């Protein structure tokens, strides 16, 4: 391992990186300077690489006593000014849920990577799965908005980590980046972009005199400027439902506007948040809707189907939540059928069906045995659809 | 202006957040007073202080004071504090927790924070019970005592919080009571000034939930009990184990120099920068 301890950035030459390693590079590129985590397969490499990459750029890596603590430390670090991240897999992701909700209600930017493995419980530690898609949406209790992205390649691991930080800073929200065992562990060629070539967003900070600062006051964007501990804007941060000053409230006339704003700040920015990749969809008659590692198999299957005369296309979801309904609906109106292959028992297909409302036929293809859905399996379905 | 009024104006969110949620006579108010007196003596500015708390009656303390305040989740205050301190080591991070908060749900975080020796101050208000949720037993509820979930008397043995902190490796550990208020001021002040993980166990009373069920009387009687059982550590050294049975030692239990986490981290950064620079 020691032989590897060289700074891989800014060398302009192609590297062979795992998805997990690319996420570290993406985080550093985005300005992440704090990582707290707890080892777990198949996400461990992220902690390991962070442990020597972060100190070298003046950042902090800490291995906490568990994932609950990791999530708490990440929130604390973000409140004190740092871009902060953690990475885990299913069991650890479950432990993070309570503090994840804290980050939602207190509007603390942070990035949580979940490299999915088979579940429930300890499940299939070394095998691929997409079983945490609904958990990523609803894992923490209570009504809350959340942003969840899914990466399929090493390059996407890099790009979407930067994007996850950007969205979390812009909208003051935790952002979950889902990868899976295949994406996390596959080594692929990547040329890391030079500094300054990809947009990096910083949170908006208050500029008014501190005595005028109302920490949770609404504005047009729905995202209040964020004071940082120590910068002179002393305020109260709590997981209790709070008024615009941050103090606990039980008054309906304060609760409702607060909750409304929490959702509005995401909902009114769908165009910025919701991302898909359209691949041969223009004239497609059958559409494959996939995300994560399965999108890779689908990409190949779609091409092979076309070679056999089936007009297939792929809609790859980058943003899983908020579900990109608006980007999907035009396809639903047009195509003969949609196939949703995924490594769970239908966690996104149920969402597709909800949106579909009878517009077209929705077929599913599911695997929950810890194995990737192959191009051949998808092709087999496409030619028979 | 009287000294106390000055402190109230300087440190409390007096126009915004009062009246407070605590029962009249609760020990939490005394801990709050001791905390602001101690902070005032240390000379740190309000902007430099981050006060972090968990969930419970004691955890409500953060809302009342004009610092950077962070009211976290039950048991996890130390984890948030760890992130705050590491992101900005210049901040003075003080953590207030209840006994259940710190040693039941947060017990794992507590021992690891002590072991890690990050420069944090942990104040644990030990009222021997879960006050906020209505008097269920906590890890410090004595054997035989009655609680909302121990109506026939408690069948478990209690933790001693300060001793737990000593064993887990805290650099500085002190114990006081809300009866010995000026000692509590001093202990908190010393704990804040200590470089390393410092723990103050503040023995307090919850007359509403614990006193009533155990027929210990009101706040006055419970504070009288604190006065009677407490013995200064200096005096305790001259007493036999029999004499010390059922007594509570107060004062500074441990004060030791241990490697401070942020210092170690700085060395680690230098080492890694040197290694990467050399390639
Ligand atoms: C995860 C979680 N479990 C349970 C609770 C409910 N709860 C709130 S305060 C509390 C106990 C508080 O006792 P202690 O920490 O001793 O503080 P005190 O109220 O006595 O000051 C509990 C169990 C919670 N808020 N969160
Ligand atoms: S319930 Fe007990 S601890 Fe809570 S405020 Fe009342 S007296 Fe204090
Ligand atoms: Mg208690």
């Amino acid at each position: 391992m020691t032989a590897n301890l060289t700074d891989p950035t800014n060398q302009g030459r192609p590297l062979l990186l795992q998805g997990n390693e690319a996420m570290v590079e993406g985080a550093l590129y985005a300005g992440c300077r704090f990582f707290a985590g707890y080892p777990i397969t198949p996400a461990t490499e992220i902690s390991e690489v962070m442990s020597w990459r972060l100190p070298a750029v003046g950042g902090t890596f800490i291995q906490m006593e568990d994932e609950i603590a990791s999530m708490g430390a990440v929130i604390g670090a973000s409140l004190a000014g740092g871009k902060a991240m953690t990475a885990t897999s299913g069991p650890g992701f479950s432990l993070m849920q309570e503090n994840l909700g804290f980050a939602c209600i207190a509007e603390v930017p942070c990035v949580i990577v979940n490299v999915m493995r088979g579940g429930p419980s300890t499940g299939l530690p070394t095998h691929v799965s997409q079983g945490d898609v609904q958990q990523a949406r609803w894992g923490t209790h209570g009504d809350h908005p959340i942003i969840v992205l899914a990466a399929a390649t090493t390059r996407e691991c890099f790009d979407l980590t930067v994007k996850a930080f950007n969205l979390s800073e812009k909208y003051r929200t935790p952002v979950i980046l889902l990868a899976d065992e295949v994406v996390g562990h596959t080594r692929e060629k990547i040329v890391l972009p030079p500094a300054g070539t990809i947009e990096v967003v910083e949170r908006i900070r208050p500029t008014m005199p501190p005595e005028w600062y109302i920490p949770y006051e609404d504005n047009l964007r729905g995202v209040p400027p964020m004071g940082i501990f120590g910068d002179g804007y002393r305020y109260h941060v709590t997981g209790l439902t709070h008024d615009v000053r941050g103090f606990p409230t039980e008054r309906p006339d304060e609760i409702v506007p607060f909750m409304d704003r929490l959702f509005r700040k995401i909902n009114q920015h769908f165009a910025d948040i919701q991302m898909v990749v359209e691949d041969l969809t223009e004239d497609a008659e059958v559409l494959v809707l996939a995300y994560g590692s399965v999108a890779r198999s689908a990409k190949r299957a779609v091409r092979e189907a076309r070679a056999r005369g089936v007009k297939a296309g792929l809609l790859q979801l980058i943003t899983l939540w908020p579900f990109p309904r608006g980007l999907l609906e035009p396809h639903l109106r047009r195509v003969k059928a949609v196939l949703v292959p995924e490594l769970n028992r239908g966690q996104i297909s149920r969402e597709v069906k909800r949106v579909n409302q009878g517009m077209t036929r929705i077929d599913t293809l599911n695997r929950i045995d810890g194995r990737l859905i192959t191009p051949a399996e998808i092709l087999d379905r496409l030619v028979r659809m | 202006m009287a000294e106390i009024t000055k402190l109230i104006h300087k440190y409390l969110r007096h126009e915004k957040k009062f009246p407070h949620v605590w029962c009249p006579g609760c020990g939490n108010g005394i801990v709050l007073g001791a905390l602001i007196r101690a902070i005032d003596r240390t000379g740190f500015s309000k902007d430099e202080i981050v006060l972090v708390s968990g969930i419970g009656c004691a955890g409500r303390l953060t809302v009342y004071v004009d610092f950077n305040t962070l009211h976290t989740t039950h048991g996890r205050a130390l984890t948030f504090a760890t992130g705050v301190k590491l992101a900005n080591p210049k901040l003075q991070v003080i953590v207030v927790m209840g006994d259940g908060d710190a040693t039941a749900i947060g017990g794992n975080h507590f021992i690891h924070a002590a072991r890690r020796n990050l420069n944090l101050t942990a104040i644990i208000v030990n009222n021997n019970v879960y006050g906020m949720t209505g008097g269920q037993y906590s890890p410090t509820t004595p054997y035989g005592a009655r609680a909302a979930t121990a109506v026939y008397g408690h069948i478990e043995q209690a933790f001693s919080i300060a001793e737990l902190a000593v064993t887990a490796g805290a650099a500085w550990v002190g114990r006081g009571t809300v009866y010995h208020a000026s000692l509590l001021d001093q202990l908190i002040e010393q704990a804040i000034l200590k470089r390393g993980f410092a723990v103050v166990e503040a023995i307090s009373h919850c007359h509403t939930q614990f006193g009533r069920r155990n027929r210990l009387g009101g706040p006055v009687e419970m504070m009288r009990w604190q006065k009677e059982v407490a013995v200064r550590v200096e005096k305790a050294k001259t007493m036999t184990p029999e004499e010390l049975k059922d007594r509570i030692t107060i004062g500074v239990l441990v004060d030791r120099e241990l490697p401070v986490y942020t210092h170690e981290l700085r060395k680690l950064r230098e080492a890694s920068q040197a290694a990467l620079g050399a390639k």
Side-chain angles (χ1 to χ4, degrees), chain B residues 173-248:
Chain B
V173 180
R175 179 163 46 213
T177 80
V178 294
Y179 172 82
H180 303 84
S182 60
L183 173 68
L184 194 57
D185 296 4
Q186 290 163 28
L187 291 175
I188 296 176
E189 182 189 354
Q190 284 182 50
I192 294 170
L193 294 175
K194 174 73 189 179
R195 278 186 48 75
F197 191 72
V199 178
V200 180
E201 177 184 0
I203 304 285
S204 185
H205 53 270
C206 172
H207 51 290
T208 308
Q209 300 296 355
F210 190 73
R212 193 170 43 87
R213 258 191 205 88
N214 289 285
R215 299 182 199 284
L216 299 174
V220 175
E221 290 74 25
M222 292 183 81
M223 286 175 78
R224 190 171 294 137
W225 172 84
Q226 291 166 19
K227 178 187 174 195
E228 281 158 11
V229 296
V231 42
R232 297 275 186 155
V233 276
E234 296 78 18
K235 176 141 188 258
K237 287 195 186 110
T238 67
M239 293 165 68
T240 64
E242 293 76 51
E243 287 170 323
L244 282 171
K245 197 171 173 301
D246 296 328
R247 304 294 295 268
I248 294 170

Side-chain angles (χ1 to χ4, degrees), chain A residues 98, chain B residues 22 26 28 54-60 73-76 97-105 125-134 136 138-140 206:
Chain A
E98 190 196 9
Chain B
W22 296 319
C26 174
N28 282 330
I55 299 289
C57 294
R60 285 300 180 106
T73 45
H74 191 31
R76 321 301 177 194
M97 296 166 283
D99 45 311
D101 205 25
T103 64
I105 191 163
V125 185
N126 181 3
N127 57 10
N128 306 101
V129 78
Y130 286 1
M132 175 146 276
T133 42
Q136 301 80 14
S138 88
T140 58
C206 172

Side-chain angles (χ1 to χ4, degrees), chain B residues 9-260:
Chain B
H9 278 260
K10 182 165 177 196
Y11 292 107
L12 297 191
R13 288 169 170 153
H14 52 96
E15 291 150 347
K16 296 173 194 142
K17 286 324 298 171
F18 288 82
H20 57 66
V21 295
W22 296 319
C23 306
C26 174
N28 282 330
I30 300 173
V31 177
L32 172 60
L35 178 69
I36 62 172
R37 286 189 294 271
I39 289 175
D40 193 58
R41 284 198 221 152
T42 63
F44 288 116
S45 76
K46 293 195 284 184
D47 285 330
E48 287 172 290
I49 303 279
V50 181
L51 192 69
V52 185
S53 66
I55 299 289
C57 294
R60 285 300 180 106
L61 202 142
T62 38
V63 88
Y64 304 117
V65 283
D66 186 21
F67 303 116
N68 305 285
T69 53
L70 174 55
H71 180 222
T72 67
T73 45
H74 191 31
R76 321 301 177 194
L78 282 168
T79 71
F80 286 66
T82 298
V84 171
K85 183 71 184 178
L86 288 174
N88 185 356
K90 289 195 205 90
L91 295 169
Q92 293 300 317
V93 185
I94 305 167
V95 188
V96 180
M97 296 166 283
D99 45 311
D101 205 25
T103 64
I105 191 163
N108 198 30
H109 309 308
F110 182 59
I111 57 175
H112 288 283
R115 175 183 65 79
R116 203 172 278 133
N117 202 31
L118 187 60
N119 188 8
L120 300 172
T121 307
I123 301 168
I124 297 155
V125 185
N126 181 3
N127 57 10
N128 306 101
V129 78
Y130 286 1
M132 175 146 276
T133 42
Q136 301 80 14
Y137 61 78
S138 88
T140 58
T141 301
Y143 177 83
R146 277 162 217 279
T149 45
V151 290
Y152 300 112
H154 193 34
I155 59 170
E156 297 176 16
Q157 300 299 317
F159 263 147
S160 166
I161 295 177
E163 277 79 4
L164 177 65
V166 172
T167 311
W172 190 100
V173 180
R175 179 163 46 213
T177 80
V178 294
Y179 172 82
H180 303 84
S182 60
L183 173 68
L184 194 57
D185 296 4
Q186 290 163 28
L187 291 175
I188 296 176
E189 182 189 354
Q190 284 182 50
I192 294 170
L193 294 175
K194 174 73 189 179
R195 278 186 48 75
F197 191 72
V199 178
V200 180
E201 177 184 0
I203 304 285
S204 185
H205 53 270
C206 172
H207 51 290
T208 308
Q209 300 296 355
F210 190 73
R212 193 170 43 87
R213 258 191 205 88
N214 289 285
R215 299 182 199 284
L216 299 174
V220 175
E221 290 74 25
M222 292 183 81
M223 286 175 78
R224 190 171 294 137
W225 172 84
Q226 291 166 19
K227 178 187 174 195
E228 281 158 11
V229 296
V231 42
R232 297 275 186 155
V233 276
E234 296 78 18
K235 176 141 188 258
K237 287 195 186 110
T238 67
M239 293 165 68
T240 64
E242 293 76 51
E243 287 170 323
L244 282 171
K245 197 171 173 301
D246 296 328
R247 304 294 295 268
I248 294 170
T249 50
I250 56 172
V252 180
L253 272 60
V254 151
D255 183 358
R256 50 193 170 191
E257 293 309 317
L258 298 169
V260 178

Side-chain angles (χ1 to χ4, degrees), chain A residues 5 55-56 58-60 62 65-66 68-69 72-73 76-77 79 99 102 229-230 232 234-240 247, chain B residues 13 17 46-47 60 62-63 66 68-71 73 76 79-80 83-84 87 91 109 112 116 261 269 272-273 276:
Chain A
L5 294 179
T60 302
I62 185 168
E65 52 274 15
D66 58 29
I68 302 173
L79 285 165
N99 283 341
F102 185 97
F229 286 166
R234 294 188 305 277
Y235 69 110
H236 187 59
V237 180
T238 178
L240 286 166
F247 296 126
Chain B
R13 288 169 170 153
K17 286 324 298 171
K46 293 195 284 184
D47 285 330
R60 285 300 180 106
T62 38
V63 88
D66 186 21
N68 305 285
T69 53
L70 174 55
H71 180 222
T73 45
R76 321 301 177 194
T79 71
F80 286 66
V84 171
L91 295 169
H109 309 308
H112 288 283
R116 203 172 278 133
Y261 191 90
R269 282 190 192 132
S272 83
Q273 276 153 10
L276 285 195

Side-chain angles (χ1 to χ4, degrees), chain A residues 285-286 302 304-313 382-385:
Chain A
E285 287 169 2
V286 286
V302 160
E304 288 179 10
R306 288 220 168 219
R308 295 189 194 188
V310 179
K311 277 198 177 166
L382 284 178
V383 294
R384 289 191 286 126
M385 271 169 86

Side-chain angles (χ1 to χ4, degrees), chain A residues 27 79 93 106 139 170 244 263 267 276 283 287 290 339 365 381:
Chain A
L79 285 165
F93 192 53
K170 225 191 251 183
V244 289
F263 278 88
N267 294 354
V276 298
D283 61 342
L287 184 75
L339 177 68
L365 170 56
R381 293 289 294 274

